[in-house]
């Protein structure tokens, strides 16, 4: 029997996903109930074997519940998180945790007052592509990274429902951007010192549907984060330039490779001009093949269920929280600065 009881607020796409994923993968929590403002969603919860509350207050008063997962549109995250914490519940809030850093500070103040656990569902820290990039950096196989490009690109031009409305926290910076920014900040223990954001409204009304953001970290690493919903020829999920080689991860299935300087590499070829179809060049002519080595990407096998099991470990008093509010505050401060950079139309210097 699971040790802790859990309820879900917002039984839509992601709320239903939390229910099924916790039921099928997480030992420590049992999802027992849900609250949603829509009657159809409450009916769906009942159909799926849950108790459906008739009001938010009923959930807040339910002393059986140890943990509430909040999966509603982004503009409701702050008030619901605070209400749940104040009612004595531990809380997981979906990403983006809030609409801005100040809202998160309000939640963090209440978290301190109540002493309850508060975490943010940054589940993409358990994505295989991200863990693979992390492992390449940790192993140092191709040297030290200096430029990373992290992209998710699609062409469906879909900003369905609340995701198309600014008031609800729609747009791609909040939707996918927050994941890729969280991953990037999680990679480097170094402050972000400048942000240059380019947000685009190609087909939607009032929210960013495509964006590119260039970051500079104090440790001299730079990073490009890009989300497109209007991209018909895609680029690799990750491209990482390191001092001794390059890594490419093409897609979520982990197709890709590393190419590094051969270990016995010497500048043995003639330093003559090479005649290419683009004319003569020394610097950009292809390298002799034997001077490089192609390597497979490292194996990684992250388990997303670790996210929820970690929350149980924190409740047991045996583990430290993995996804911390302080980390999310850094992410939200970056997001605030992205919007500022785009509004000003120029890079913004910062220390985040
Ligand atoms: P959705 O529209 O499918 O579902 C939202 C549900 O919340 C709906 O059933 C709606 O009726 C309900 N709702 C709205 N306002 C409410 C309120 N005030 N109180 C109670 N219920 C309310 O949206 P979704 O795709 O499930 O997204 C929900 C949240 O999950 C968002 O914050 C989104 O960013 C996040 N999300 C996270 C991931 C991830 O990978 N971590 C993926 C998708 C969505």
């Amino acid at each position: 029997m699971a040790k802790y009881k859990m309820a879900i607020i917002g039984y839509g796409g992601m709320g239903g996903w939390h229910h099924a994923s916790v039921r099928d993968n997480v030992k420590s929590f049992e999802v027992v109930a849900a609250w949603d403002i829509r009657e159809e969603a409450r009916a769906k919860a009942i159909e799926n074997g849950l108790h459906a509350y008739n009001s938010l207050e009923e959930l807040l008063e339910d002393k059986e519940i140890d943990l509430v997962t909040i999966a509603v549109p982004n503009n409701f995250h702050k008030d619901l998180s605070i209400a749940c914490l104040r009612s004595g519940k531990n809380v997981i809030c979906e990403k983006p945790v809030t609409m801005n850093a100040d809202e998160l500070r309000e939640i963090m103040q209440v978290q301190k007052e109540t002493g309850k656990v508060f975490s943010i569902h940054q589940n993409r820290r358990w994505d295989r592509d991200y863990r693979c990039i992390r492992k390449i950096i940790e192993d140092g196989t191709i040297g030290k990274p200096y430029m990373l490009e992290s992209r998710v690109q699609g062409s469906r031009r879909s900003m369905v429902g609340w995701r198309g409305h600014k008031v609800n926290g729609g747009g791609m910076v909040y939707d996918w951007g927050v994941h890729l920014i969280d991953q990037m900040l999680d990679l480097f223990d170094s402050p972000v010192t400048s942000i240059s954001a380019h947000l685009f409204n190609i087909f939607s009304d009032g929210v960013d549907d495509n964006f590119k953001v260039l970051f500079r970290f104090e440790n001299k690493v730079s990073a490009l984060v890009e989300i497109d919903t209007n991209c018909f020829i895609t680029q690799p999920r990750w491209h990482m330039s390191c001092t001794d080689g390059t890594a490419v991860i093409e897609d979520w299935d982990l197709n890709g490779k590393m190419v590094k300087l051969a270990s016995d590499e010497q500048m043995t070829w003639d330093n003559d001009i090479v005649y290419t179809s683009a004319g003569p060049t020394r610097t950009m002519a292809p390298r002799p093949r034997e001077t490089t080595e192609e390597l497979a990407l490292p194996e990684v096998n992250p388990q997303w269920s670790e996210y929820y099991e970690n929350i149980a470990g924190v409740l047991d008093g045996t583990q430290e929280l993995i996804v911390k509010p302080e980390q999310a505050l850094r992410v939200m401060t970056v997001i605030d600065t992205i919007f500022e950079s785009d509004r000003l139309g120029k890079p913004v210097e910062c220390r985040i």
Side-chain angles (χ1 to χ4, degrees):
M1 217 184 71
K3 191 166 177 190
Y4 297 110
K5 289 197 170 23
M6 167 179 158
I8 294 172
I9 301 184
Y11 202 74
M14 207 53 195
W17 183 90
H18 277 279
H19 178 198
S21 304
V22 169
R23 182 193 60 212
D24 297 344
N25 302 289
V26 178
K27 287 201 295 287
S28 303
F29 289 98
E30 184 192 359
V31 185
V32 293
W35 159 242
D36 195 295
I37 44 167
R38 282 184 308 124
E39 198 177 334
E40 311 89 271
R42 295 198 299 274
K44 185 86 190 156
I46 293 170
E47 199 183 300
N48 290 343
L50 299 182
H51 168 68
Y53 299 108
N54 290 310
S55 66
L56 173 65
E57 289 64 37
E58 205 186 310
L59 183 159
L60 298 177
E61 282 161 18
D62 188 345
K63 299 283 178 251
E64 292 277 283
I65 300 299
D66 302 294
L67 174 73
V68 178
T69 292
I70 297 173
V72 299
N74 306 331
N75 56 314
F76 302 117
H77 288 182
K78 186 198 81 172
D79 287 351
L80 287 170
S81 295
I82 288 177
C84 290
L85 287 167
R86 286 215 186 282
S87 76
K89 313 281 187 281
N90 301 289
V91 174
I92 290 174
C93 184
E94 260 304 343
K95 49 49 59 174
V97 58
T98 47
M99 303 282 281
N100 53 53
D102 279 346
E103 283 193 359
L104 175 54
R105 285 191 188 94
E106 285 186 52
I107 299 178
M108 288 168 75
Q109 182 57 38
V110 177
Q111 185 276 324
K112 272 205 196 87
E113 286 165 28
T114 58
K116 292 289 151 187
V117 175
F118 181 72
S119 181
I120 302 91
H121 189 234
Q122 292 295 171
N123 50 316
R124 293 199 175 278
R125 287 198 203 169
W126 282 264
D127 279 8
R128 286 173 70 224
D129 58 82
Y130 166 65
R131 287 301 178 98
C132 187
I133 282 289
R134 235 181 114 139
K135 182 148 177 49
I136 295 169
I137 295 174
E138 280 164 11
D139 292 350
T141 321
I142 53 174
K144 281 193 166 42
Y146 58 87
M147 178 75 211
L148 288 90
E149 296 170 45
S150 170
R151 295 187 170 84
V152 173
Q153 297 173 311
S155 59
R156 288 186 165 221
R157 298 171 65 115
S158 77
M159 305 287 289
V160 177
W162 61 265
R163 280 183 176 75
H165 299 289
K166 203 174 177 59
V167 65
N168 294 123
M172 280 297 129
V173 169
Y174 284 132
D175 199 50
W176 265 94
V178 67
H179 283 302
L180 270 51
I181 294 163
D182 177 69
Q183 290 176 341
M184 204 57 88
L185 297 189
D186 193 42
L187 281 178
F188 301 109
D189 187 17
S190 177
V192 178
T193 54
S194 105
I195 292 179
S196 180
H198 298 248
L199 274 49
F200 304 96
N201 284 114
I202 305 302
F203 56 86
S204 61
D205 193 13
V207 296
D208 59 290
D209 45 36
N210 292 259
F211 75 81
K212 294 177 204 277
V213 179
L214 193 58
F215 298 95
R216 192 188 282 276
F217 289 88
E218 193 176 60
N219 64 0
K220 304 277 183 225
V221 173
S222 292
L224 177 73
V225 168
E226 176 171 354
I227 302 288
D228 293 308
T229 57
N230 190 55
C231 177
F232 297 86
I233 303 175
T234 59
Q235 292 160 286
R237 169 70 186 85
W238 292 90
H239 184 287
M240 179 164 67
S241 303
C242 295
T243 46
D244 299 331
T246 308
V248 167
I249 302 180
E250 297 288 348
D251 48 36
W252 289 318
D253 294 325
L254 249 60
N255 292 302
K257 63 183 176 188
M258 293 184 280
V259 176
K260 63 176 287 206
L261 291 170
S263 35
D264 55 353
E265 193 264 346
Q266 288 169 356
M267 297 287 278
T268 49
W269 66 84
D270 293 337
N271 205 12
D272 288 344
I273 283 186
V274 177
Y275 289 87
T276 69
S277 51
T281 171
R282 275 196 181 94
T283 44
M284 291 303 162
R287 248 180 180 276
R289 264 192 89 82
E290 65 279 11
T291 68
T292 61
E293 206 178 323
E294 196 170 305
L295 304 173
L297 295 171
E299 295 281 332
V300 287
N301 188 24
Q303 300 296 320
W304 160 84
S305 55
E306 187 193 0
Y307 175 76
Y308 268 96
E309 294 298 0
N310 170 247
I311 303 289
V314 177
L315 295 179
D316 291 345
T318 57
Q319 287 186 35
E320 191 188 327
L321 190 62
I322 296 177
V323 182
K324 301 178 175 67
E326 295 74 19
Q327 297 167 338
L329 186 60
R330 205 173 157 219
V331 172
M332 290 316 302
T333 309
V334 162
I335 287 182
D336 287 351
T337 312
I338 286 175
F339 289 130
E340 188 192 352
S341 164
D342 185 64
R343 189 174 47 79
L344 296 173
K346 60 180 189 185
V348 172
E349 288 186 13
C350 53
R351 197 174 165 80
I352 303 169

